[in-house]
Amino acid sequence: MRKVSVFLFGLALLLAFQVGSVFADSKLDKAIAPLIGSDYKYGGTTPKGFDCSGFTGYVFNELGIDLPRSSRDMYSWEKSKKISDDDLRAGDLVFFNTSGSGVSHVGIYIGKNKFAHAASKGVTITSLDDNYYAKRYLGARRILSDETYEKIATEIEAEEVAKQ
């Protein structure tokens, strides 16, 4: 019964992720979706177990982009650009102070006020309005150029049209 419950919970998260994402079936979605439900592991960088920055780095590595290893380094990375909350788009990184000592958590904004991240319960999708995260939100950084963003967001659509 437990396996069935876990499966149904994972399926519900996957469906919620697909509905909540700005670019369903984009390269970004395809990199994140199979990781939903992966276990949390401090220092983890693989689907066998992720911490927040390990998950974020893994997803972007799948897209051909190398990020710094830690959430703190991602936040201060010279190749990132601080953005306002009004300008958030899928693929932006969102940062939190969960430890009480500055940047300590990172997630990937997926659209519709939601972000994907590895937390103590594993890889999941959470609303930026979630009480815990809203109180600890520090801001967002953009790492994708407009050109890279368009490629990641729309290339899958072109592949689908070509198949028809």
Side-chain angles (χ1 to χ4, degrees), residues 79-143:
K79 293 183 180 180
S80 69
K81 174 182 156 188
K82 185 176 181 175
I83 56 166
S84 74
D85 298 340
D86 294 336
D87 291 331
L88 278 171
R89 68 182 186 198
D92 289 338
L93 302 185
V94 289
F95 295 91
F96 306 87
N97 178 355
T98 58
S99 68
S101 60
V103 176
S104 55
H105 190 69
V106 62
I108 304 167
Y109 186 74
I110 60 167
K112 298 192 178 186
N113 213 41
K114 295 180 182 180
F115 68 104
H117 61 123
S120 58
K121 295 178 183 176
V123 176
T124 190
I125 305 298
T126 303
S127 171
L128 285 171
D129 293 328
D130 176 90
N131 193 41
Y132 178 83
Y133 289 101
K135 289 178 182 177
R136 292 161 176 83
Y137 181 73
L138 295 174
R141 310 286 292 184
R142 179 155 297 153
I143 59 166

Side-chain angles (χ1 to χ4, degrees), residues 9-47:
F9 179 71
L11 182 60
L13 280 175
L14 181 62
L15 291 174
F17 173 68
Q18 290 298 327
V19 170
S21 181
V22 172
F23 295 107
D25 294 327
S26 70
K27 285 187 169 193
L28 181 62
D29 283 346
K30 288 187 183 269
I32 293 172
L35 304 175
I36 300 297
S38 294
D39 290 336
Y40 178 84
K41 180 180 178 187
Y42 181 78
T45 59
T46 73

